[in-house]
């Protein structure tokens, strides 16, 4: 056992793992985190606590992760390369380990210009860091854990024992490089991988075949990403604007049908689409889990944490194993 | 070459409006190529400042002239006595020129007329693009000749982030994703498998992060000394 985290134990047990996502609030109120943690607790093996996602200032991942942990939800701390240099990263991660956090997901992070896709002011004029990239950060965490050394070579008095994760965009451009991308993350030391949202299951499977041939599925635990769709509009937006996500037409049509069935009733239209979105999610979960080489799912219900219970139950993934 | 663009005339006016005798001092190398601060631009700025001064009823004498380079004494020393007659020099050289002159001109202030932006090329007439960040430890042999340090918005060293879409960077669809270009180029060169090698964390001390840099070419120094001895 590398970290002894719940997520690691579930993966080792061979049962399909389930992770979810918790977005910290744009404020200092701990109850926001506690409320979301209570909605997710028991329905996933661990939940990612995002790190200023979409380049917007929110409560820090590590502090929100500690709040979640105290509510009985195992967190996956996120660490982006955008905001910290290797000194700050290592210092924060030593602290995170001391506070009882056991999983860490390494990310490049959205560029500071992103500002929630222009929906918020954000801080587009901020200076970014990018001292190290994701692959290098994974390597730093592994070196700290397995060799008890800092990146610069100094000895650590006590090594932080993280279960190390990285993200992967299997269907991003340039698509023939993406398997090499994963290979590098695995070679650097990624114990688990969470993928970008999958809707095009055929394309995902063809990428996974390559991963299979490379034997990477045996060296890391790949959790397929599922983004719960709320509306036809959201699916269309993701298809046209989110990098590495393509949504097959027939899924968009299904959501459109659900919307149209409500006629002019806007409230119903929302309810029908949400219900269809959950149905669609459950189907995707099954298709992803049936894909050879996949060890679990990472379900993102963005600002819709209350949907997770129903989804996990409907997918037959409840109760979560106690290991 | 070094690429920059002229500062807004309003900002320049604010810098010079309280002086009596202003020299707009052009530089005829890089910054002239990008039409920001050569002799022609210096002349135009001087003209605009004279117009503005007369509009505001201010009595300011504005002249212009230029030299080949502000960054080497051999070019500006011959005109130094002339330059020192002004009580403000608005240099339209790049930032290097402004710095260099400031330290050699005595108590005359040298202000910038140009925003110096990057080291770039000229892919089409009137278009300038950033191609090198002067990081001091070039890795172009590892990346098919395309710079990941300044041409990737996140300076990634091990491949693209998840934000690439249709060959463009997540920051703007007007920016080519450097890693898309690198992968395509290395495919063409038949060296894509080289990218599987992990590049370790960089030593940034050769870049601006290590403090101001200095390069001494010893044999040139020696040569100069020999020449001096002869004379
Ligand atoms: S790697 Fe460094 S020196 Fe080479 S082109 Fe890029 S910034 Fe310039
Ligand atoms: S999209 Fe491409 S250029 Fe932009 S940050 Fe990502 S890898 Fe770098």
């Amino acid at each position: 056992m590398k970290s002894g985290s719940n997520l690691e134990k579930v993966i080792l047990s061979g049962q399909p793992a389930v992770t979810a996502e918790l977005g910290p609030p744009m404020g200092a109120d701990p109850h926001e985190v506690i409320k979301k943690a209570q909605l997710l607790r028991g329905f996933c093996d661990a939940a990612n606590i995002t790190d200023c996602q979409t380049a917007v200032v929110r409560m820090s991942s590590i502090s929100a992760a500690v709040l979640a942990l105290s509510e009985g939800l195992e967190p996956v701390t996120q660490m982006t390369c955008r905001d910290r240099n290797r000194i700050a990263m290592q210092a924060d991660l030593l602290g995170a380990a001391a506070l009882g956090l056991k999983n860490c997901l390494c990310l490049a992070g959205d560029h500071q210009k992103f500002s929630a896709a222009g929906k918020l002011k954000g801080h587009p004029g901020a200076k970014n860091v990018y001292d190290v990239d994701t692959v290098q950060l994974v390597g730093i965490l592994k070196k700290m854990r397995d060799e008890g050394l800092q990146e610069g070579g100094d000895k650590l008095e006590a090594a932080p024992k993280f279960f190390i994760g990285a993200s992967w965009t299997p269907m991003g451009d340039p698509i023939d490089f993406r398997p090499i991308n994963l290979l590098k993350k695995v070679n650097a030391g990624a114990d688990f991988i969470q993928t970008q949202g999958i809707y095009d299951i055929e394309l995902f499977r063809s990428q996974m075949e390559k991963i299979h041939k490379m034997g990477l599925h045996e060296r890391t635990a790949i959790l397929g990403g599922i983004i719960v769709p709320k509306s036809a509009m959201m699916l269309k937006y993701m298809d046209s604007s989110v990098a590495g996500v393509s949504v097959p037409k027939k899924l968009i049509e299904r959501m459109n049908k659900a919307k149209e069935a409500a006629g002019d009733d806007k409230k119903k239209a929302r309810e029908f689409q949400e219900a269809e979105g959950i149905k669609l999610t459950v189907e995707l979960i099954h298709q992803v889990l049936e894909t050879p080489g996949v060890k679990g799912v990472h379900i993102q219900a963005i600002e819709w944490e209350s949907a997770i219970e129903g989804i996990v139950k409907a997918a037959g993934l409840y109760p979560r194993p106690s290991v | 070459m070094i690429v920059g663009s002229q500062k807004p005339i309003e900002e320049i006016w604010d810098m010079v409006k309280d002086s009596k005798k202003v020299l707009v001092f052009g530089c005829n190398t890089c910054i002239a190529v990008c039409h920001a601060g050569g002799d022609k631009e210096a002349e135009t700025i001087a003209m605009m400042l004279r117009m503005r001064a007369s509009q505001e009823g201010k009595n300011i004498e504005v002249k212009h002239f230029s030299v080949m380079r502000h960054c080497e004494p051999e070019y500006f020393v011959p005109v130094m006595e002339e330059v020192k007659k002004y009580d403000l020099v608005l240099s339209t050289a790049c930032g290097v020129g402004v710095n260099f002159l400031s330290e050699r001109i005595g108590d005359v202030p040298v202000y910038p007329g140009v925003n110096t932006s990057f080291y770039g090329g000229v892919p089409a007439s009137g278009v300038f693009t950033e191609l090198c960040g002067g990081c001091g430890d070039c890795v172009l042999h590892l990346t098919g000749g395309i710079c990941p340090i300044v041409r990737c918005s996140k300076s990634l060293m091990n491949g693209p982030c998840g934000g690439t879409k249709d060959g463009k960077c997540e920051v703007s669809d007007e920016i080519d994703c450097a890693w898309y270009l690198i992968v395509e180029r290395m495919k063409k060169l038949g060296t894509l498998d080289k990218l599987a090698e992990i590049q370790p964390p960089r030593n940034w001390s050769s870049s601006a992060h290590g403090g101001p840099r200095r390069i001494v070419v010893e044999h040139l120094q020696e040569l100069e000394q020999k020449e001096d001895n002869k004379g």
Side-chain angles (χ1 to χ4, degrees):
Chain A
M1 195 92 60
K2 289 165 173 166
S3 69
S5 79
N6 186 55
L7 179 61
E8 182 181 10
K9 286 183 196 156
V10 172
I11 288 171
L12 278 177
S13 77
Q15 303 172 74
V18 176
T19 53
E21 197 152 294
L22 187 161
M26 287 173 70
D29 184 359
H31 298 101
E32 292 280 315
V33 180
I34 290 167
K35 245 185 347 214
K36 287 182 176 181
Q38 286 166 349
L39 287 171
L40 296 174
R41 182 177 58 199
F43 304 108
C44 58
D45 307 313
N48 289 30
I49 316 292
T50 52
D51 179 15
C52 297
Q53 202 175 17
T54 70
V56 166
V57 171
R58 291 170 177 277
M59 186 185 290
S60 79
S61 176
I62 291 174
S63 41
V66 171
L67 289 170
L69 186 63
S70 65
E71 280 309 301
L73 174 69
E74 178 169 285
V76 177
T77 305
Q78 290 193 179
M79 178 62 75
T80 72
C81 299
R82 177 192 58 222
D83 304 326
R84 297 170 182 81
N85 68 7
R86 66 192 87 174
I87 299 173
M89 282 172 163
Q90 292 177 93
D92 280 353
L93 289 171
L94 290 179
L99 289 165
L101 306 180
K102 292 181 174 154
N103 307 300
C104 182
L105 184 84
C106 306
L107 296 161
D110 296 311
H111 191 272
Q112 67 273 16
K113 274 213 176 138
F114 195 66
S115 312
K119 286 194 211 86
L120 291 166
K121 291 195 187 74
H123 297 81
K127 189 175 183 183
N128 63 33
V129 181
Y130 294 112
D131 174 22
V132 296
D133 65 21
T134 314
V135 172
Q136 294 163 347
L137 176 56
V138 167
I140 290 173
L141 258 92
K142 186 173 160 63
K143 186 169 172 179
M144 289 170 86
R145 182 189 68 196
D146 296 348
E147 298 172 47
L149 292 175
Q150 299 182 6
E151 192 277 327
D154 289 328
K155 239 179 126 46
L156 293 166
E157 283 149 24
K161 300 288 182 193
F162 282 111
F163 194 48
I164 306 167
S167 61
W168 181 47
T169 308
M171 288 148 323
D173 279 337
I175 197 148
D176 28 5
F177 185 75
R178 295 297 163 176
I180 304 178
N181 211 217
L182 182 62
L183 171 72
K184 292 179 97 162
K185 288 175 178 176
V186 174
N187 282 347
D191 303 307
F192 71 99
I193 295 290
Q194 290 169 327
T195 78
Q196 171 62 293
I198 302 157
Y199 293 104
D200 190 339
I201 196 79
E202 297 307 317
L203 189 57
F204 174 63
R205 287 189 172 156
S206 77
Q207 287 297 78
M208 281 302 294
E209 259 173 48
K210 294 177 201 152
I211 298 311
H212 226 260
K213 279 197 195 118
M214 294 161 80
L216 293 180
H217 63 297
E218 280 168 353
R219 298 176 52 207
T220 193
I222 298 172
L223 314 185
I226 311 278
I227 302 173
V228 185
K230 258 185 170 170
S231 63
M233 214 170 73
M234 175 176 168
L235 278 181
K236 276 185 225 156
Y237 170 78
M238 283 197 290
D239 184 50
S240 66
S241 306
V242 179
V245 177
S246 68
V247 185
K249 277 213 176 62
K250 59 175 200 263
L251 298 190
I252 299 177
E253 274 159 25
R254 264 179 67 179
M255 280 295 244
N256 265 333
K257 258 198 202 133
K259 185 181 167 197
E260 281 157 16
D264 288 338
D265 189 333
K266 281 205 174 126
K267 188 167 161 251
K268 254 195 184 156
R270 206 189 67 211
E271 286 169 9
F272 283 10
Q273 287 182 89
E274 286 183 0
E276 188 66 24
I278 288 182
K279 239 174 89 187
L280 224 151
T281 301
V282 172
E283 291 170 24
L284 282 169
I285 290 175
H286 288 146
Q287 289 168 335
V288 166
L289 286 177
E290 282 159 14
T291 306
V294 169
K295 299 276 166 60
V297 282
H298 175 56
I299 313 168
Q300 291 169 261
I302 301 159
E303 291 303 315
W304 193 18
E305 285 83 358
S306 60
I308 292 291
E309 173 176 354
I311 291 168
V312 171
K313 283 182 172 165
L317 293 167
Y318 184 82
R320 298 309 307 145
S322 56
V323 279
Chain B
M1 61 184 236
I2 295 180
V3 181
S5 53
Q6 197 190 300
K7 275 187 178 287
I9 198 74
E10 203 50 41
E11 192 182 343
I12 294 179
W13 172 249
D14 267 346
M15 291 181 205
V16 305
K17 65 179 182 221
D18 298 322
S19 307
K20 290 276 165 264
K21 226 172 147 201
V22 174
L23 172 66
V24 183
F25 193 22
C27 184
N28 283 326
T29 307
C30 314
I31 214 74
V33 177
C34 57
H35 297 260
D39 195 57
K40 243 185 12 212
E41 292 76 31
E43 182 181 5
T44 313
I45 293 172
M47 200 180 68
M48 288 169 85
L49 290 177
R50 279 193 296 269
M51 266 166 53
R52 183 65 189 261
S54 82
Q55 277 169 4
E56 308 264 334
K58 287 208 170 210
N59 184 19
I60 309 178
E61 183 190 337
V62 188
K63 289 259 171 60
H64 87 278
F65 60 82
S66 38
V67 290
M68 202 56 202
R69 283 208 270 285
H70 281 206
C71 53
E72 276 184 82
E74 68 171 285
Y75 293 99
F76 66 73
V77 163
V79 296
M80 204 51 150
E81 282 318 304
E82 183 59 25
V83 171
K84 279 184 177 168
K85 288 183 190 154
Y86 291 83
D87 53 35
L88 190 146
V89 174
L90 182 85
S91 162
T92 60
C94 68
V96 175
V98 178
N99 273 271
F100 205 77
L101 205 56
S102 286
E103 289 183 310
R104 287 164 179 82
I105 199 175
D107 46 16
V108 183
V110 185
Y111 288 172
V114 161
N115 288 322
T116 308
S117 300
F118 52 80
Y119 312 145
V122 195
S125 169
V127 181
F128 304 88
T129 49
E130 180 164 26
L131 298 177
C132 169
C135 75
D137 186 7
C138 195
V139 295
L140 289 179
H141 57 298
L142 303 172
T143 56
I146 291 158
C147 176
I149 306 291
V150 283
R151 297 182 71 184
C152 166
S153 304
K154 301 178 186 171
S155 298
L156 304 177
M157 290 299 297
N158 281 291
C161 72
T164 329
K165 198 169 167 60
D166 305 323
K168 299 294 176 185
C169 172
E170 71 172 42
V171 170
S172 155
D173 51 20
E174 289 184 0
I175 302 173
D176 290 329
C177 166
W179 275 102
Y180 188 88
L181 298 176
I182 292 169
V183 168
E184 290 304 314
R185 175 99 182 116
M186 292 186 73
K187 266 201 287 192
K188 223 187 214 165
L189 297 174
T191 52
L192 193 63
D193 53 328
K194 254 183 145 184
L195 285 184
E197 227 171 85
I198 292 177
Q199 297 307 320
R202 272 178 72 96
N203 178 351
W204 292 107
S205 66
S206 64
S207 75
H209 300 279
R213 293 164 282 173
R214 183 183 150 95
I215 295 173
V216 178
V217 184
E218 276 171 19
H219 68 270
L220 277 183
Q221 275 192 323
E222 281 164 21
L223 210 72
E224 206 159 284
Q225 267 161 17
K226 268 187 207 152
E227 292 293 318
D228 286 352
N229 291 345
K230 264 189 221 161

